[in-house]
Coordinates of all heavy atoms in Angstrom, one line a residue:
L268 N 256.6 -118.6 15.5 CA 255.6 -119.6 16.0 C 254.3 -118.8 16.2 O 254.3 -117.8 17.0 CB 256.0 -120.3 17.2 CG 255.0 -121.3 17.8 CD1 254.8 -122.5 16.9 CD2 255.4 -121.7 19.2
Q269 N 253.2 -119.2 15.6 CA 251.9 -118.6 15.8 C 250.9 -119.5 16.6 O 250.9 -120.7 16.3 CB 251.3 -118.3 14.4 CG 252.2 -117.4 13.5 CD 251.8 -117.5 12.1 OE1 251.1 -116.7 11.5 NE2 252.2 -118.6 11.4
L270 N 250.2 -118.9 17.5 CA 249.1 -119.6 18.1 C 248.1 -119.9 17.1 O 247.8 -119.0 16.2 CB 248.5 -118.8 19.3 CG 249.5 -118.4 20.4 CD1 248.7 -117.6 21.5 CD2 250.0 -119.7 21.1
H271 N 247.6 -121.1 17.0 CA 246.7 -121.5 15.9 C 245.3 -121.5 16.3 O 244.7 -122.5 16.7 CB 247.2 -122.9 15.4 CG 246.6 -123.3 14.1 ND1 246.9 -124.5 13.5 CD2 245.8 -122.6 13.2 CE1 246.3 -124.5 12.3 NE2 245.6 -123.4 12.1
C272 N 244.6 -120.3 16.2 CA 243.2 -120.2 16.4 C 242.8 -120.9 17.7 O 241.8 -121.7 17.8 CB 242.4 -120.8 15.2 SG 242.7 -120.0 13.7
V273 N 243.5 -120.6 18.8 CA 243.1 -121.1 20.1 C 241.9 -120.4 20.6 O 241.6 -119.3 20.2 CB 244.3 -121.0 21.1 CG1 245.5 -121.7 20.5 CG2 244.6 -119.6 21.5
P274 N 241.1 -121.0 21.5 CA 239.9 -120.4 22.0 C 240.1 -119.0 22.6 O 241.1 -118.7 23.2 CB 239.4 -121.3 23.1 CG 240.0 -122.7 22.6 CD 241.3 -122.3 22.1
T275 N 239.1 -118.1 22.5 CA 239.2 -116.8 23.0 C 239.5 -116.7 24.5 O 240.3 -115.9 24.9 CB 237.8 -116.0 22.7 OG1 237.4 -116.2 21.3 CG2 237.9 -114.6 23.1
E276 N 238.9 -117.6 25.2 CA 239.1 -117.5 26.7 C 240.5 -117.9 27.0 O 241.1 -117.4 28.0 CB 238.1 -118.5 27.4 CG 238.2 -119.9 27.0 CD 237.2 -120.2 25.8 OE1 236.8 -119.3 25.1 OE2 236.8 -121.4 25.7
V277 N 241.2 -118.7 26.3 CA 242.6 -119.1 26.5 C 243.5 -117.8 26.2 O 244.4 -117.5 27.0 CB 243.0 -120.3 25.6 CG1 244.5 -120.5 25.8 CG2 242.2 -121.5 26.0
L278 N 243.2 -117.2 25.1 CA 243.9 -115.9 24.8 C 243.7 -114.9 25.9 O 244.7 -114.2 26.3 CB 243.5 -115.4 23.5 CG 243.7 -116.2 22.2 CD1 243.1 -115.5 21.0 CD2 245.2 -116.4 22.0
G279 N 242.5 -114.8 26.4 CA 242.2 -113.8 27.4 C 242.9 -114.0 28.7 O 243.2 -113.0 29.4
R280 N 243.1 -115.3 29.1 CA 243.8 -115.6 30.4 C 245.2 -115.1 30.3 O 245.8 -114.7 31.3 CB 243.7 -117.0 30.7 CG 242.3 -117.5 31.1 CD 242.4 -118.9 31.8 NE 243.0 -119.9 31.0 CZ 242.2 -120.8 30.3 NH1 240.9 -120.6 30.3 NH2 242.8 -121.7 29.6
G281 N 245.9 -115.2 29.2 CA 247.2 -114.6 29.0 C 248.4 -115.5 29.3 O 249.5 -115.2 28.8
E282 N 248.2 -116.6 30.0 CA 249.3 -117.4 30.4 C 250.0 -118.1 29.2 O 251.2 -118.3 29.2 CB 248.9 -118.5 31.4 CG 247.8 -119.5 30.8 CD 247.3 -120.4 31.9 OE1 247.7 -120.3 33.1 OE2 246.4 -121.2 31.6
I283 N 249.3 -118.3 28.1 CA 249.9 -118.9 26.9 C 250.9 -118.0 26.3 O 251.9 -118.5 25.7 CB 248.8 -119.3 25.9 CG1 249.3 -120.4 24.9 CG2 248.2 -118.1 25.2 CD1 248.2 -121.1 24.1
F284 N 250.8 -116.7 26.5 CA 251.8 -115.8 26.0 C 253.0 -115.9 26.8 O 254.2 -115.7 26.3 CB 251.2 -114.4 25.9 CG 250.1 -114.2 24.9 CD1 248.8 -114.3 25.3 CD2 250.4 -114.0 23.6 CE1 247.8 -114.1 24.3 CE2 249.4 -113.9 22.6 CZ 248.1 -113.9 23.0
D285 N 252.9 -116.1 28.1 CA 254.1 -116.3 29.0 C 254.8 -117.5 28.6 O 256.1 -117.6 28.6 CB 253.6 -116.4 30.5 CG 253.1 -115.1 31.0 OD1 253.5 -114.0 30.5 OD2 252.2 -115.1 31.9
W286 N 254.1 -118.6 28.2 CA 254.8 -119.8 27.8 C 255.5 -119.6 26.5 O 256.6 -120.1 26.3 CB 253.7 -120.9 27.5 CG 252.9 -121.3 28.8 CD1 253.3 -121.0 30.1 CD2 251.6 -121.9 28.8 NE1 252.3 -121.5 30.9 CE2 251.3 -122.0 30.2 CE3 250.7 -122.3 27.8 CZ2 250.1 -122.5 30.6 CZ3 249.5 -122.9 28.2 CH2 249.2 -123.0 29.6
L287 N 254.9 -118.8 25.6 CA 255.7 -118.4 24.3 C 257.0 -117.7 24.7 O 258.0 -117.9 24.1 CB 254.8 -117.6 23.4 CG 253.6 -118.3 22.8 CD1 252.7 -117.2 22.1 CD2 254.1 -119.2 21.7
R288 N 256.9 -116.8 25.6 CA 258.1 -116.0 26.0 C 259.1 -117.0 26.6 O 260.3 -116.8 26.4 CB 257.7 -114.9 27.0 CG 256.8 -113.9 26.4 CD 256.5 -112.8 27.5 NE 255.5 -111.8 26.9 CZ 254.2 -111.8 27.1 NH1 253.7 -112.6 28.0 NH2 253.5 -110.9 26.5
T289 N 258.7 -118.0 27.3 CA 259.6 -118.9 27.9 C 260.4 -119.7 26.8 O 261.6 -119.8 26.9 CB 258.9 -119.9 28.8 OG1 258.3 -119.2 29.9 CG2 259.8 -121.0 29.4
V290 N 259.6 -120.3 25.8 CA 260.3 -121.0 24.8 C 261.2 -120.1 23.9 O 262.2 -120.5 23.3 CB 259.3 -121.9 23.9 CG1 258.7 -122.9 24.8 CG2 258.3 -121.0 23.3
Q291 N 260.8 -118.8 23.8 CA 261.6 -117.9 23.1 C 262.9 -117.6 23.8 O 264.0 -117.6 23.2 CB 260.8 -116.5 22.9 CG 261.5 -115.5 22.1 CD 260.7 -114.2 22.1 OE1 260.3 -113.7 23.1 NE2 260.6 -113.6 20.9
Q292 N 262.8 -117.4 25.1 CA 264.0 -117.2 25.9 C 264.9 -118.4 25.9 O 266.2 -118.3 26.1 CB 263.6 -116.8 27.4 CG 263.0 -115.5 27.5 CD 262.2 -115.2 28.8 OE1 262.3 -116.1 29.7 NE2 261.6 -114.1 28.9

Side-chain angles (χ1 to χ4, degrees):
L268 180 67
Q269 304 160 100
L270 298 178
H271 195 178
C272 300
V273 305
T275 308
E276 56 270 24
V277 175
L278 297 175
R280 289 199 298 266
E282 59 188 359
I283 199 167
F284 293 97
D285 291 331
W286 301 337
L287 288 169
R288 294 180 184 103
T289 295
V290 295
Q291 183 183 48
Q292 291 165 2

